[in-house]
């Protein structure tokens, strides 16, 4: 028996991107499915394509209009989305162009720079190291990186020691710097950590007393992981998170073999679009812990399902349930959280994701994070839904 309705609340996070994704269940059994299933889906690849049987229960007419209208109207160059309900893919579609100069279509397999959507995946990498017992979140970062020990607090003679937890949850007190993004993408991680110590020599506030400048602290936390692991951060992420989840297209440095699948990024300008991010060159030296990954809809969905299923992916326990709980719970402890844009309604901040809703016991049930190049992924425990939305652009569909 079909559900009579899927509540609009399932797709609340997309409203922050100007997409109110509303899906009404079909009332007839003969409705055409969203996308046909393939052999890969039948072999158990959860994210291969939309599940024919599951997709047939929904009418995606209005959803498709909301997905495609901003592209058709010339407000964004392309868009794609994946929705998974009860561990079954119910929708996956892409529209528009990934490369407007060469007329290359944007597909569900297109690789996109996901910007700050990286944060949640890096947070999971951090928790993999906690699972191994190599670090504790409440250890001072200075234990592994001496230049971050006994840092002077701005406007006082006091000194502070931000913990690894502080660094990854926006509470470190490390101030932002306009050149951090460029530096973190062009030099090795540990060099960028030293660069931060040189250019951000003091804390803006005592650790744990203020929230902000998240990416700076995350870069330092990445340095802790690299030091404790004895190997590059990106290699440790691949070993502990990406490979176990089958996230084969997720990387900080896409190589020439996949360049034809990588999307450019644009912004609207003078009735057209201006290129703001070209195809990478395969020689990205840096690791931007809080914003450097490239990924796909499927890979993001695999990561989200692991979160929804308490660290489990198929027969593999990628993270312990305890680490998943830590990854998703509020880390700010009541510190005021002033964020703009999609985060204006957040109730807390976890290890790389904003918390938008909690249950009666205060446990996070709706979490998500977005990137500056138009990506957003989220998980809703109440509705048992995960989803991701890509539009490689700094523009957003109208949000009213």
């Amino acid at each position: 028996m079909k559900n009579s309705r899927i509540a609009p609340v399932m797709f609340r996070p997309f409203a922050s991107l100007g997409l109110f994704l509303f899906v009404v269940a079909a009332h007839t059994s003969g409705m055409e499915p969203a996308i046909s299933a393939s052999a890969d889906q039948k072999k158990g690849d959860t994210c291969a394509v939309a599940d024919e049987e599951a997709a047939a229960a929904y009418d995606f007419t209005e959803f498709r209009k909301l997905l495609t209208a901003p592209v058709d109207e010339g407000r964004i160059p392309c868009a794609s989305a994946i929705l998974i309900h009860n561990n079954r893919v119910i929708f996956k579609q892409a529209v528009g162009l990934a490369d407007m100069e060469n007329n290359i279509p944007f597909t569900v397999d297109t690789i996109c720079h996901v910007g700050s959507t990286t944060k949640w995946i890096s947070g999971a990498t951090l928790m993999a190291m906690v699972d191994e017992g190599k670090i504790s979140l409440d250890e001072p970062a200075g234990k592994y990186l001496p230049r971050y020990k006994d840092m002077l607090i701005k406007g006082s003679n006091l000194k502070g020691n931000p913990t690894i937890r502080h660094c990854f949850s926006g509470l470190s007190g490390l101030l932002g710097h306009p050149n951090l993004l460029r530096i973190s993408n062009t030099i090795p991680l540990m060099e960028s950590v030293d660069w931060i110590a040189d250019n951000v020599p003091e804390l803006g506030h005592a650790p744990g007393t203020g929230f902000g400048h998240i990416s700076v602290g995350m870069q330092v936390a990445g340095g802790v992981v690299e030091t404790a692991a004895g190997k590059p951060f990106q290699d440790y992420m691949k070993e502990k998170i990406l490979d176990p989840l089958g996230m084969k297209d997720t990387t900080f440095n896409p190589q020439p073999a996949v360049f034809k699948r990588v999307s450019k990024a644009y912004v609207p300008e003078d009735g057209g679009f201006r290129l703001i991010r070209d195809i990478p060159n395969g020689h990205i030296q840096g690791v931007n812990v809080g914003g450097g990954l490239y990924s796909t809809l499927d890979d993001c969905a695999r990561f989200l399902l692991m979160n929804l299923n308490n660290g489990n992916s198929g027969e593999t326990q990628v993270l312990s349930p305890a680490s998943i709980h830590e990854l998703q719970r509020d880390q700010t402890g009541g510190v005021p959280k002033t964020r703009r844009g999609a985060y204006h309604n957040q109730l807390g901040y976890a290890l790389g994701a904003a918390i938008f809703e909690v249950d009666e016991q205060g446990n996070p049930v709706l979490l998500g994070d977005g990137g500056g190049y138009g990506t957003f992924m989220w998980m809703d425990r109440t509705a048992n839904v995960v989803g991701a939305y890509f539009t490689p652009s700094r523009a957003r569909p109208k949000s009213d």
Side-chain angles (χ1 to χ4, degrees):
M1 182 176 179
K2 293 180 181 180
N3 294 329
S4 61
R5 186 178 180 88
I6 294 294
V9 74
M10 286 175 61
F11 309 112
R12 271 183 311 242
F14 276 174
S16 65
L17 296 175
L19 287 177
F20 180 62
L21 306 186
F22 180 82
V23 180
V24 180
H27 292 285
T28 59
S29 58
M31 177 184 158
E32 181 181 354
I35 305 174
S36 298
S38 70
D40 287 336
Q41 181 73 36
K42 294 170 183 177
K43 290 177 183 176
D45 186 351
T46 306
C47 302
V49 293
D51 183 298
E52 184 178 84
E53 181 181 357
Y58 308 92
D59 179 357
F60 290 104
T61 303
E62 293 303 314
F63 176 85
R64 283 199 179 93
K65 289 180 182 178
L66 291 168
L67 182 70
T68 61
V71 178
D72 294 340
E73 295 166 7
R75 291 187 277 135
I76 54 177
C78 52
S80 63
I82 186 170
L83 303 173
I84 300 178
H85 184 213
N86 293 332
N87 291 315
R88 302 177 77 178
V89 181
I90 60 173
F91 184 90
K92 186 160 66 169
Q93 184 175 342
V95 292
L97 296 175
D99 183 336
M100 306 191 80
E101 292 78 12
N102 296 294
N103 204 38
I104 297 176
F106 190 65
T107 75
V108 294
D109 296 318
T110 296
I111 298 170
C112 295
H113 186 274
V114 299
S116 286
T117 304
T118 302
K119 289 177 170 59
W120 201 349
I121 302 172
S122 290
T125 305
L126 181 72
M127 291 313 302
M129 179 151 283
V130 172
D131 268 347
E132 286 196 293
K134 291 185 176 180
I135 62 171
S136 166
L137 292 181
D138 294 315
E139 291 178 316
K143 175 180 176 180
Y144 301 90
L145 305 170
R147 297 192 67 184
Y148 292 88
K149 182 179 180 181
D150 294 330
M151 297 187 70
L152 188 66
I153 299 173
K154 186 176 181 179
S156 76
N157 294 319
L158 301 176
K159 294 182 179 180
N161 285 281
T163 65
I164 301 169
R165 186 192 305 277
H166 289 148
C167 287
F168 215 90
S169 55
L171 303 174
S172 66
L174 290 164
L175 301 174
H177 191 283
N179 290 327
L180 175 63
L181 182 61
R182 177 181 60 83
I183 291 297
S184 61
N185 282 326
T186 57
I187 62 176
L189 174 59
M190 295 309 296
E191 289 186 29
S192 73
V193 169
D194 284 338
W195 183 93
I196 293 170
D198 289 335
N199 290 273
V200 188
E202 60 183 9
L203 302 174
H205 55 73
T209 64
F211 177 82
H213 304 294
I214 299 173
S215 293
V216 184
M218 285 184 176
Q219 197 73 1
V220 174
V224 170
V225 171
E226 187 158 307
T227 299
K231 64 181 67 175
F233 179 87
Q234 62 269 36
D235 292 351
Y236 188 76
M237 174 187 281
K238 186 175 187 297
E239 175 187 337
K240 297 298 180 180
I241 303 297
L242 305 184
D243 284 351
L245 290 176
M247 296 172 68
K248 59 185 176 60
D249 291 319
T250 301
T251 178
F252 287 99
N253 186 23
Q255 293 301 294
V258 299
F259 282 177
K260 290 183 179 180
R261 294 177 51 211
V262 179
S263 178
K264 297 179 179 180
Y266 302 85
V267 291
E269 185 175 273
D270 299 329
F273 291 95
R274 176 172 57 87
L275 179 68
I276 59 171
R277 192 178 191 97
D278 209 337
I279 304 301
N281 60 16
H283 301 289
I284 299 174
Q285 296 185 52
V287 170
N288 183 346
V289 174
L293 282 174
Y294 289 78
S295 192
T296 61
L297 288 178
D298 280 358
D299 279 8
C300 286
R302 291 184 175 94
F303 175 77
L304 291 165
L305 285 171
M306 183 272 291
N307 273 269
L308 186 66
N309 294 315
N310 297 316
N312 184 267
S313 178
E315 298 179 355
T316 303
Q317 192 71 38
V318 180
L319 291 177
S320 69
S323 281
I324 286 291
H325 174 76
E326 195 67 50
L327 179 66
Q328 296 175 10
R329 78 173 183 89
D330 178 36
Q331 301 290 329
T332 61
V335 173
K337 298 164 287 293
T338 303
R339 295 288 295 276
R340 297 177 307 220
Y343 300 96
H344 68 279
N345 61 337
Q346 77 178 62
L347 300 179
Y349 193 75
L351 293 174
I355 298 167
F356 297 108
E357 187 173 293
V358 298
D359 62 18
E360 293 180 354
Q361 290 73 45
N363 299 309
V365 293
L366 184 62
L367 302 94
D369 203 5
Y373 288 97
T375 56
F376 189 79
M377 67 177 183
W378 95 98
M379 176 190 76
D380 188 335
R381 285 193 177 277
T382 301
N384 207 34
V385 170
V386 301
Y389 170 80
F390 285 6
T391 175
S393 174
R394 287 197 183 277
R396 294 291 188 276
K398 187 178 180 181
S399 56
D400 55 2

